[in-house]
Amino acid sequence: MSMQSLYTVPAEIAANALVNNEQYQKMYQESVSNPEGFWAEQAKRIDWIRPFTEVKDTSYNDQNLYIKWFADGTLNASANCLDRHLATKGDTVAIIWEGDDAAEQRTITYRELHADVCRFANALKAQGVKKGDVVTIYMPMVPEAAVAMLACARIGAIHSVVFGGFSPDSIASRVIDGKSKLLITADEGLRGGRKIPLKANIDEALSRPDVTTVETVLVLKRTGGKVSWTEGRDLWWDDVVAAADANCPAEEMGAEDPLFLLYTSGSTGNPKGVLHTTGGYMVYASMTHEYVFDYKPGEVYWCTADVGWITGHSYMVYGPLANGATVLIHEGIPNFPSPARMGEIIDRHQVNILYTAPTLIRALMAEGKQHFDGFDGKSLRIMGSVGEPINPEAWRWYHEVIGHEHCPIVDTWWQTETGGILITPLPGATDTKPGSATRPFFGVQPALVDNEGNILEGATEGNLVLLDSWPGQMRTVYGDHERFVLTYFKTFRGMYFTGDGARRDEDGYYWITGRVDDVINVSGHRLGTAEVESALVAHDLVAEAAVVGYPHDIKGQGIYAYVTLTKGTEPTEELRQELRQWVRKEIGALATPDLIQWASGLPKTRSGKIMRRFLRKIAANEITNLGDSSTLADPSVIDTLIESRLNRA
Ligand code: 6R9
């Protein structure tokens, strides 16, 4: 494989793209010098019920922080994704669905999706759901997940999607925080040939005494597997829909009315309910989807993300459907039953645009390119990457084996909090460098600051901040505005702090280096080290625990736990397995520690703060240059940990 470091825009792509480099430069300048004018114009892509007269009303002052966009306009997100396409695109396929078992296939037109959403929205109303209520969705990757989200949006309910891999405890804490009265789930999910007991997990979550708000559980029959049933609370999806009217006018929502909540991990405490509102989010999700993927009408677009993550919200549901796109949804995992599956899906459905994650690319890479021998791939035009830094080796493999060296790769950097893509190449405008997310999208003003918050100029490295607001930005932490201000705007005053570090090269390209806070990124999934630690210490035999990330070939980062057992407890292999299962049960499979090291003590400052930088280095086997340990209460702990690291497993 060549070690080319600059990949210029293919001429054919540049000639036909929505934006070429000259246009990018001009539009970007306009977007930051005249944001009001720029966004007023761009917001026309959305159908407003009452047009807005205000555009940007935002303040990053931590004493008086607010973010409002198009605030006096009204609209409905589901009408923008459905109704407005009916006249010209009613018979266009909105969703192509392929089951975990490829024998199962469905296509749903915009007209059909509209009808499904209207009926289900009426069913929600019949269950007493009102504008402003939080509805929790715990669904497998089936079209009904999108139907449920859009039905909430249609009646002004706020959806809170919980990833299907999360445990009953994780469901419970989200239901409690959102005070959800209604829950939507399925009997079971299917992933890689395995059944996921969704309804059973819901039953367990709702059996906790502190979960008191839920009155109704709507259950989609997916596998037909046996489930237990609570009369008066549980209802089948099909039954409530059969009783519902097909006509459901879309509720008129203020631009700043909440659209959804999505919980995400931070450095401290429980996951935060990230709140996104309607107007700015829709403008930003649809605009970025169109420009970043250079989406052209009629193209088939496949995003492999789960609906439980922000990528599934912005780039599987709201962005593409607002653009009238044909979206492929795959129920299972793209390397099951064999690594050839991904190529088969692309060829079978003539996918033009593929959006996936580095962890999957690395997993396919490890299996070998022979699995793509029979892959045609001629339909593919643009490929995206998201979720974590993509290492140049994986980038080149993606480019060569999946993209046959002619598809531009857009390495898109963004976060749950940002609502949409912020730093990314545009296919027709940006020459790419493997591993770099390149340049800011329109209206986005990134900067690098040192630890004191001084803005650094030129080619340099620092903490990645954003100097001003964009329409897709989160508005608050649900129920805790103080936490919003504290988490994002206090570290560096007057700026939004991303939690990421980055390098900027001599061409002004950004290279995200990863989190600089106590968040680890496992296969593109965010986890707070504190969450895993608190799960571990909740076990009777654990006295103390410290968790760090370490480099992992496939997952990007793996979870490394240092565990101090209670006095007199024997460190056995059985206990190690038990602790793994314990964390899995407390949070979900994605939080299962990869390696556990028994630790007789942890490196702490005299004030008791765990010094994680030592732990990160020992986990990564970087034991020759550990740095200054003089501030530790007991520096000898380090030597003991280095020696005992061989007991990791
Ligand atoms: C969309 C999403 C956000 C964190 C983010 C960063 C990492 C995402 C990336 C990337 C390097 C990229 N991240 N995309 N790092 N290059 N292209 O993933 O949201 O789950 O909230 O995670 O993921 O560290 O801060 P979320």
Side-chain angles (χ1 to χ4, degrees):
M1 212 176 288
S2 80
M3 286 303 277
Q4 198 178 333
S5 57
L6 186 74
Y7 292 72
T8 51
V9 175
E12 201 195 306
I13 298 270
N16 300 300
L18 290 166
V19 183
N20 62 30
N21 191 38
E22 205 179 310
Q23 289 162 319
Y24 167 78
Q25 301 288 356
K26 200 165 149 274
M27 281 173 79
Y28 183 77
Q29 273 319 313
E30 150 101 24
S31 75
V32 293
S33 60
N34 176 21
E36 293 267 336
F38 180 84
W39 288 112
E41 187 58 31
Q42 294 302 328
K44 290 182 182 158
R45 63 175 23 268
I46 286 302
D47 282 4
W48 299 85
I49 299 172
R50 187 177 72 216
F52 55 86
T53 63
E54 298 155 23
V55 180
K56 180 176 186 287
D57 184 17
T58 65
S59 155
Y60 275 11
N61 174 348
D62 62 353
Q63 300 305 305
N64 177 30
L65 192 129
Y66 55 87
I67 296 159
K68 293 183 208 156
W69 285 87
F70 318 112
D72 63 347
T74 63
L75 74 161
N76 182 281
S78 116
N80 271 283
C81 291
L82 303 168
D83 307 45
R84 66 167 173 164
H85 303 316
L86 295 184
T88 54
K89 289 190 160 179
D91 297 322
T92 298
V93 173
I95 296 176
I96 302 171
W97 179 80
E98 173 161 324
D100 191 50
D101 176 347
E104 284 194 273
Q105 301 279 341
R106 287 167 71 184
T107 54
I108 301 169
T109 64
Y110 271 94
R111 198 181 322 286
E112 290 164 340
L113 186 61
H114 174 261
D116 290 348
V117 168
C118 287
R119 267 191 208 284
F120 193 65
N122 277 329
L124 291 177
K125 279 202 220 169
Q127 295 306 318
V129 177
K130 299 207 166 46
K131 184 171 174 171
D133 288 352
V134 176
V135 170
T136 301
I137 299 177
Y138 185 65
M139 294 275 278
M141 287 288 288
V142 290
E144 286 80 0
V147 170
M149 292 162 74
L150 292 166
C152 288
R154 193 159 193 91
I155 63 174
I158 306 166
H159 58 71
S160 165
V161 180
V162 179
F163 172 56
F166 277 131
S167 67
D169 274 346
S170 299
I171 302 166
S173 64
R174 287 156 173 79
V175 168
I176 293 169
D177 192 68
K179 300 183 193 62
S180 237
K181 284 189 286 198
L182 186 133
L183 246 143
I184 306 168
T185 190
D187 49 2
E188 294 173 318
L190 270 181
R191 248 176 85 84
R194 293 215 336 255
K195 289 182 174 164
I196 321 283
L198 298 174
K199 173 63 164 63
N201 287 347
I202 292 287
D203 290 337
E204 196 180 327
L206 299 191
S207 72
R208 283 184 25 169
D210 51 347
V211 182
T212 55
T213 51
V214 178
E215 293 162 7
T216 312
V217 179
L218 302 181
V219 188
L220 178 79
K221 193 170 276 180
R222 167 62 192 107
T223 63
K226 207 169 149 353
V227 291
S228 58
W229 207 251
T230 303
E231 285 304 328
R233 185 196 73 184
D234 300 347
L235 296 165
W236 288 111
W237 174 296
D238 281 349
D239 293 345
V240 295
V241 161
D245 196 87
N247 178 34
C248 180
E251 188 78 29
E252 181 171 356
M253 303 298 288
E256 286 302 334
D257 282 339
L259 178 60
F260 66 84
L261 282 178
L262 188 61
Y263 287 81
T264 193
S265 298
S267 338
T268 54
N270 291 327
K272 299 177 281 280
V274 168
L275 183 96
H276 283 288
T277 58
T278 311
Y281 174 82
M282 289 303 293
V283 169
Y284 200 76
S286 71
M287 182 178 175
T288 45
H289 172 262
E290 185 178 0
Y291 284 93
V292 173
F293 299 104
D294 193 42
Y295 186 81
K296 307 275 172 52
E299 288 192 309
V300 176
Y301 162 87
W302 180 23
C303 166
T304 65
D306 191 279
V307 68
W309 308 115
I310 189 68
T311 307
H313 284 56
S314 301
Y315 299 113
M316 205 175 66
V317 178
Y318 290 110
L321 295 180
N323 294 338
T326 298
V327 180
L328 174 76
I329 297 180
H330 175 222
E331 181 179 40
I333 35 188
N335 47 0
F336 172 85
S338 87
R341 182 70 178 272
M342 184 154 195
E344 289 163 10
I345 294 180
I346 293 169
D347 285 344
R348 178 157 42 243
H349 300 289
Q350 292 295 291
V351 170
N352 306 111
I353 301 167
L354 170 68
Y355 193 26
T356 191
T359 186
L360 179 74
I361 297 165
R362 287 191 299 262
L364 292 173
M365 209 170 131
E367 298 281 354
K369 51 178 153 190
Q370 72 279 8
H371 294 285
F372 288 84
D373 284 349
F375 172 54
D376 172 49
K378 292 231 171 50
S379 60
L380 217 49
R381 206 168 66 79
I382 310 283
M383 308 192 304
S385 170
V386 61
E388 53 174 317
I390 177 164
N391 46 311
E393 199 192 351
W395 195 103
R396 291 196 176 91
W397 190 92
Y398 192 26
H399 187 255
E400 182 194 310
V401 180
I402 316 264
H404 294 155
E405 296 185 324
H406 65 80
C407 298
I409 294 179
V410 289
D411 175 2
T412 63
W413 174 84
W414 59 296
Q415 311 178 298
T416 305
E417 294 88 336
T418 70
I421 295 162
L422 295 195
I423 302 182
T424 180
L426 298 183
T430 319
D431 296 339
T432 52
K433 303 181 188 181
S436 172
T438 75
R439 308 187 289 196
F441 190 74
F442 306 123
V444 175
Q445 298 183 54
L448 300 178
V449 298
D450 63 18
N451 289 341
E452 279 68 54
N454 303 303
I455 294 186
L456 308 168
E457 304 292 342
T460 185
E461 189 166 342
N463 301 297
L464 180 64
V465 298
L466 298 156
L467 300 179
D468 202 356
S469 183
W470 61 98
Q473 183 168 27
M474 76 182 280
R475 300 304 196 252
T476 192
V477 170
Y478 187 67
D480 198 349
H481 195 65
E482 262 314 292
R483 190 169 174 203
F484 176 56
V485 178
L486 186 70
T487 309
Y488 303 103
F489 298 94
K490 289 258 197 218
T491 319
F492 305 113
R493 297 187 88 168
M495 306 169 189
Y496 168 88
F497 178 40
T498 63
D500 281 319
R503 181 165 73 77
R504 189 174 47 224
D505 69 17
E506 50 297 333
D507 295 322
Y509 277 27
Y510 286 86
W511 301 70
I512 311 298
T513 50
R515 303 289 302 197
V516 294
D517 56 10
D518 290 327
V519 170
I520 41 186
N521 191 327
V522 186
S523 302
H525 305 321
R526 269 167 76 168
L527 267 178
T529 51
E531 282 173 74
V532 186
E533 287 164 6
S534 73
L536 281 167
V537 296
H539 190 283
D540 280 347
L541 300 177
V542 175
E544 229 178 357
V547 169
V548 295
Y550 74 100
H552 187 289
D553 283 349
I554 306 284
K555 301 181 184 185
Q557 280 191 301
I559 302 175
Y560 194 111
Y562 294 85
V563 173
T564 310
L565 296 171
T566 51
K567 268 215 168 57
T569 302
E570 271 298 303
T572 62
E573 284 318 300
E574 291 71 52
L575 183 53
R576 210 186 314 248
Q577 285 316 319
E578 185 180 322
L579 291 181
R580 281 210 175 91
Q581 287 310 313
W582 174 265
V583 175
R584 192 187 170 95
K585 201 180 147 295
E586 291 272 306
I587 305 175
L590 58 89
T592 315
D594 296 282
L595 291 173
I596 295 177
Q597 172 176 346
W598 306 121
S600 52
L602 295 172
K604 291 184 192 162
T605 60
R606 284 179 201 96
S607 61
K609 194 175 183 302
I610 295 174
M611 300 281 281
R612 276 169 221 279
R613 67 187 163 88
F614 294 111
L615 297 176
R616 277 190 212 112
K617 287 199 166 174
I618 296 170
N621 288 324
E622 291 168 15
I623 48 173
T624 46
N625 192 5
L626 283 172
D628 181 17
S629 62
S630 61
T631 56
L632 289 177
D634 175 9
S636 77
V637 165
I638 299 288
D639 295 329
T640 315
L641 284 176
I642 290 174
E643 278 162 36
S644 68
R645 80 183 193 286
L646 299 176
N647 80 35
R648 65 174 65 154

